[in-house]
Amino acid sequence: MTEYFALAGIKTDLVLCASYERAIFDLLYRHIEKDNEMVPNVQPSDINDIVNFERILTWVLELERSGQVKRAEAMRGWLTSAEPWVTAER
């Protein structure tokens, strides 16, 4: 982000942001787990070239195993709908 701001001519201190994977995980968690809603305005096929779905699937699986999420199946379903060959080991 800092580099982007510099290219845009904006002077700033170091800017940190979440990884794409963390941002998508947070989006899924909020809409699917917390609100029990569909994820709006984005499809897995829109972002599958830059987001590592395997990493997110691993996080979902870890939370499911620890009992911290109730809608893990729906979260996995969203992640694998564009690429059904993406799976996490159980």
Side-chain angles (χ1 to χ4, degrees):
M1 288 300 298
T2 304
E3 292 173 3
Y4 171 76
F5 286 145
L7 289 173
I10 302 170
K11 293 182 181 180
T12 182
D13 292 331
L14 180 65
V15 176
L16 301 175
C17 62
S19 68
Y20 292 133
E21 290 79 13
R22 178 56 196 255
I24 295 302
F25 175 81
D26 289 349
L27 185 74
L28 294 176
Y29 187 82
R30 177 177 170 237
H31 287 284
I32 295 175
E33 181 68 20
K34 290 291 188 185
D35 299 339
N36 195 24
E37 297 176 345
M38 293 179 62
V39 177
N41 302 324
V42 66
Q43 298 298 317
S45 59
D46 297 337
I47 57 174
N48 63 358
D49 58 331
I50 58 170
V51 176
N52 180 348
F53 288 173
E54 292 282 345
R55 187 173 184 194
I56 304 169
L57 284 165
T58 300
W59 295 339
V60 171
L61 183 60
E62 289 172 3
L63 289 173
E64 181 180 30
R65 286 180 176 164
S66 66
Q68 296 181 53
V69 292
K70 297 176 183 172
R71 296 182 178 92
E73 185 176 345
M75 292 170 79
R76 281 193 307 273
W78 187 92
L79 288 163
T80 59
S81 62
E83 296 185 24
W85 56 87
V86 176
T87 59
E89 290 185 25
R90 290 185 173 235

